[in-house]
Amino acid sequence: LMIFGGASVHGADYPQIQYQSKTEFLNEAFEGAVPKWRMIKLNSSLKTEIKQVLNHSYRGGRIRYWWNGLNSLWIFDEIGKELPITIGVYVGDDAVSDISVLVYREERGQEVHQEFFTKQFNGAFLTGETLLSKEIDGITGATLSVEAMIRIAKLALFLHGIVKTK
């Protein structure tokens, strides 16, 4: 997994659909008043907690995010079936305010970018450290992409809780 790494670290012979740029997502979420990005350094304890949220290790040593004093925005690459999906999550009032597929690279399952699916996340928050407050209905043929979206929503909410207390 990499933050923003996506296409530059993978071969060019896979499908890649950009639905929204990082800049567009940031401007939309923060209504044009995009704050300067910040960074979380991951120590071993935090990496262990993140592993519990994702159900797999996070290989990076730092995570970039945007914070305006109340709300946070996170952009991650998460593997769907075989390739990374670039996902943006905007967290406000300790819940998902918006989640968007920025770049999709799998051959199947791209329906996860559509509003009928993403709007299910709106208002979801964490119950405990690893459970979403809402049941997310899957999409036939996109199970692994749906699971990737759920993992990233949980990670963004978890990390929002950490940066909020700083």
Side-chain angles (χ1 to χ4, degrees):
L1 294 178
M2 293 183 58
I3 302 171
F4 311 121
S8 64
V9 296
H10 300 284
D13 29 329
Y14 57 85
Q16 179 169 312
I17 304 167
Q18 181 170 343
Y19 293 108
Q20 191 173 27
S21 73
K22 175 181 76 171
T23 302
E24 290 168 338
F25 187 65
L26 283 160
N27 279 316
E28 182 180 297
F30 289 111
E31 298 177 347
V34 179
K36 186 177 184 323
W37 60 267
R38 297 176 177 208
M39 189 82 63
I40 295 177
K41 283 187 165 184
L42 304 181
N43 59 31
S44 61
S45 173
L46 189 51
K47 280 190 155 203
T48 299
E49 291 180 88
I50 288 171
K51 184 176 184 177
Q52 291 173 350
V53 173
L54 289 176
N55 291 324
H56 64 76
S57 297
Y58 185 87
R59 292 191 321 200
R62 297 179 299 235
I63 297 175
R64 183 181 296 196
Y65 67 99
W66 291 261
W67 173 256
N68 70 358
L70 296 171
N71 307 320
S72 63
L73 187 141
W74 309 83
I75 298 175
F76 294 100
D77 281 347
E78 178 70 342
I79 300 295
K81 181 176 181 183
E82 298 171 343
L83 298 169
I85 305 166
T86 304
I87 303 165
V89 183
Y90 182 63
V91 179
D93 294 326
D94 299 327
V96 174
S97 292
D98 191 17
I99 189 168
S100 183
V101 173
L102 305 182
V103 182
Y104 194 82
R105 298 176 182 88
E106 299 281 3
E107 288 188 44
R108 299 183 55 185
Q110 62 269 21
E111 297 88 355
V112 295
H113 89 279
Q114 294 181 2
E115 186 180 359
F116 79 85
F117 175 72
T118 60
K119 72 180 180 181
Q120 295 181 84
F121 289 88
N122 293 349
F125 56 90
L126 282 183
T127 60
E129 284 190 6
T130 62
L131 297 174
L132 278 183
S133 64
K134 290 182 160 189
E135 188 74 28
I136 304 298
D137 289 333
I139 300 171
T140 302
T143 303
L144 297 175
S145 297
V146 168
E147 290 173 0
M149 296 281 289
I150 293 169
R151 286 191 305 270
I152 291 305
K154 293 190 305 186
L155 180 59
L157 290 164
F158 172 75
L159 293 171
H160 175 84
I162 290 172
V163 301
K164 181 179 131 179
T165 60
K166 285 186 171 186

